[in-house]
Amino acid sequence: MKIIFVVGARPNFIKIAPLVEEAKKYPEISAVLLHTGQHYDNEMSQVFFDELGLPAPDIYLGVGSGSHAIQTAAIMVEFEKICLAQKPTVVVVVGDVNSTLACSLVAAKLQIPIAHVEAGLRSRDRGMPEEINRVVTDALSDLLFTTDEEANKNLIGEGIPESKIRFVGNVMIDTLLKFKKRAGLESKITISNPDYAFVTLHRPSNVDDAGRLAKIFSVLFEISKAIPILFSVHPRTKKQIDNYVCQNYFYYPPVETGAPVILKNALNIFRPLPYLDCLNLMAKAKFVLTDSGGIQEETTILGVPCLTLRKNTERPITISQGTNELVDVEPNNIIEHTKTILDDRWKKSSVPKLWDGRAAERIIKIIYNQYAKNGSE
Ligand code: UD1
């Protein structure tokens, strides 16, 4: 049986790595790794392949950036040719990026079964492009692998037959658990300050809206007077920082020298961090401020308090069981929560069910049993 594993953007690489590794254990599976090229900079793509031990992609579509329609359409045109030539038994897509949606649409119209890993997450906010990608991908998928039981309920509520849904755990956490120790040993960046907060921001709703971004920067600058902020900056956000009026908010520590970094009481700007550095620096942070989906899950497992700068989350389990709270961009709310964390009064987390490092093992077994000629399911 031939499986095409699709990746496109940074979080996809982290999710696909354990699946590709697991597939190698099955001699009957021919695994084809396809990279759409949605993310293409070395620090957004290649560095993840190197660190996670992912093989070089068998197929690279090289679509690059563009509007949603341009990017999605470009992937579809190229992926259709690949599917017609390769005739895969099944296409595996992960997460909720444009590459996930585009490849699902193509596979569905060619009647190729789709397995969606991380199905059923819902923010109920159609203003997020990812929510649209999730709803459509799930509607088209034949096997829907979920990270928590709430996601199963979401899917059933949308009329998806229960027989297609499998609660298997979280592949992003498979990778975290595998690399956590190595990240501590191999991270190339050492921070001298005993305490710092770790920040990431990249949602268009936060960084493309000048007023909202100004509000965020101003509250972060306020927090940085109490605790330095390590800010790993996504390319989308960098453009805004370069043009921002209050340049005195930002400090650019000399990271390239390799010497221990001394953070200032400001927003200390770092380039997008490779996986091991990111994991290590998050694990050691006093708390994290983010609008990322994956980081809400990672901080829950690392036991690091997380404040999510959004009105909603598709990952409510990180609030009910984890270390996460939604703070939107309300300054008072953010400052209050920050004080609670700095006073060591933050809630304790527990590990969500099946976030045990074995999700990929379960997923590949189910796909094999369902689609291999001699499979048994
Ligand atoms: C995408 C995903 C988002 C995910 C995020 C992780 C969609 C709709 N969004 O958002 O869900 O959380 O990836 O990072 O799929 N750029 C570069 N170099 C790169 C890639 C992008 O400079 O290697 C710049 C380009 O200017 C581009 C912009 O970043 O226009 C946005 O990239 P894009 O892939 O469209 O969306 P992300 O914001 O990265």
Side-chain angles (χ1 to χ4, degrees):
M1 69 183 289
K2 183 185 280 186
I3 306 180
I4 296 188
F5 290 94
V6 173
V7 288
R10 188 167 58 172
N12 293 167
F13 310 134
I14 304 166
K15 292 170 195 172
I16 219 78
L19 293 166
V20 170
E21 190 179 334
E22 185 63 27
K24 274 196 224 138
K25 297 180 188 160
Y26 291 70
E28 301 90 337
I29 294 179
S30 153
V32 176
L33 182 59
L34 178 138
H35 187 342
T36 64
Q38 177 174 346
H39 284 177
Y40 41 85
D41 286 346
N42 179 57
E43 56 200 2
M44 298 294 286
S45 176
Q46 184 58 45
V47 76
F48 287 81
F49 280 76
D50 297 343
E51 289 194 340
L52 299 170
L54 265 171
D58 299 291
I59 301 166
Y60 185 70
L61 303 183
V63 296
S65 302
S67 70
H68 285 271
I70 289 173
Q71 191 173 58
T72 307
I75 298 168
M76 287 181 70
V77 170
E78 295 308 314
F79 189 60
E80 185 179 52
K81 293 178 204 160
I82 300 296
C83 285
L84 291 171
Q86 294 271 339
K87 300 187 177 34
T89 318
V90 53
V91 170
V92 174
V93 294
V94 296
D96 54 16
V97 302
N98 285 348
S99 301
T100 312
L101 169 74
C103 294
S104 301
L105 279 166
V106 169
K109 293 207 171 182
L110 292 174
Q111 310 273 292
I112 300 165
I114 304 162
H116 183 207
V117 176
E118 206 183 84
L121 298 181
R122 294 290 180 271
S123 66
R124 322 232 177 264
D125 174 2
R126 294 272 170 107
M128 274 180 95
E130 292 82 0
E131 183 73 356
I132 296 166
N133 295 347
R134 289 179 204 118
V135 170
V136 178
T137 302
D138 285 341
L140 300 176
S141 292
D142 300 275
L143 268 176
L144 297 97
F145 295 110
T146 60
T147 51
D148 71 53
E149 286 160 311
E150 197 63 33
N152 291 40
K153 286 188 203 150
N154 291 339
L155 293 169
I156 291 164
E158 289 174 18
I160 293 177
E162 222 171 322
S163 57
K164 292 183 174 184
I165 307 168
R166 308 298 160 85
F167 167 44
V168 288
N170 191 326
V171 284
M172 189 166 233
I173 302 306
D174 287 7
T175 301
L176 182 149
L177 295 175
K178 178 173 174 193
F179 285 93
K180 196 176 150 206
K181 194 166 165 209
R182 244 183 85 184
L185 300 171
E186 292 180 26
S187 170
K188 291 173 282 300
I189 303 175
T190 312
I191 303 294
S192 296
N193 312 55
D195 288 330
Y196 60 88
F198 184 97
V199 171
T200 77
L201 282 176
H202 75 284
R203 294 263 158 244
S205 57
N206 278 338
V207 306
D208 293 356
D209 173 337
R212 198 168 157 95
L213 189 63
K215 211 166 153 185
I216 296 176
F217 281 161
S218 135
V219 71
L220 290 181
F221 187 63
E222 206 47 45
I223 293 171
S224 77
K225 292 175 187 165
I227 181 166
I229 287 179
L230 190 165
F231 190 177
S232 173
V233 175
H234 185 280
R236 181 188 279 281
T237 317
K238 183 176 182 301
K239 289 181 196 161
Q240 310 290 0
I241 288 181
D242 289 346
N243 299 321
Y244 199 64
V245 278
C246 298
Q247 283 297 324
N248 66 322
Y249 282 9
F250 309 121
Y251 171 63
Y252 296 81
V255 179
E256 291 72 26
T257 62
V261 178
I262 302 168
L263 303 176
K264 289 197 173 169
N265 283 89
L267 277 68
N268 296 264
I269 304 297
F270 284 62
R271 296 167 69 84
L273 291 169
Y275 184 68
L276 296 179
D277 288 329
C278 186
L279 202 54
N280 181 47
L281 295 175
M282 266 197 315
K284 291 181 176 155
K286 189 81 184 164
F287 65 101
V288 170
L289 281 143
T290 191
D291 59 10
S292 150
I295 289 181
Q296 296 171 54
E297 297 180 340
E298 289 169 337
T299 47
T300 277
I301 298 302
L302 295 171
V304 175
C306 179
L307 303 180
T308 297
L309 296 153
R310 287 174 46 190
K311 290 186 203 306
N312 50 54
T313 179
E314 62 289 339
R315 293 163 161 92
I317 199 167
T318 61
I319 299 175
S320 58
Q321 287 195 40
T323 56
N324 187 27
E325 277 304 324
L326 293 176
V327 292
D328 196 7
V329 295
E330 285 310 317
N332 293 341
N333 205 6
I334 298 172
I335 300 281
E336 266 319 298
H337 281 79
T338 302
K339 279 189 191 144
T340 310
I341 293 167
L342 294 179
D343 291 347
D344 284 328
R345 290 186 287 115
W346 199 246
K347 61 183 174 181
K348 298 281 172 270
S349 61
S350 59
V351 176
K353 198 167 147 193
L354 297 190
W355 291 21
D356 58 359
R358 297 183 56 196
E361 189 184 314
R362 295 183 190 104
I363 290 168
I364 298 296
K365 190 170 175 201
I366 292 169
I367 293 177
Y368 178 80
N369 284 340
Q370 183 117 333
Y371 294 111
K373 281 203 181 69
N374 55 350
S376 61
E377 195 165 279

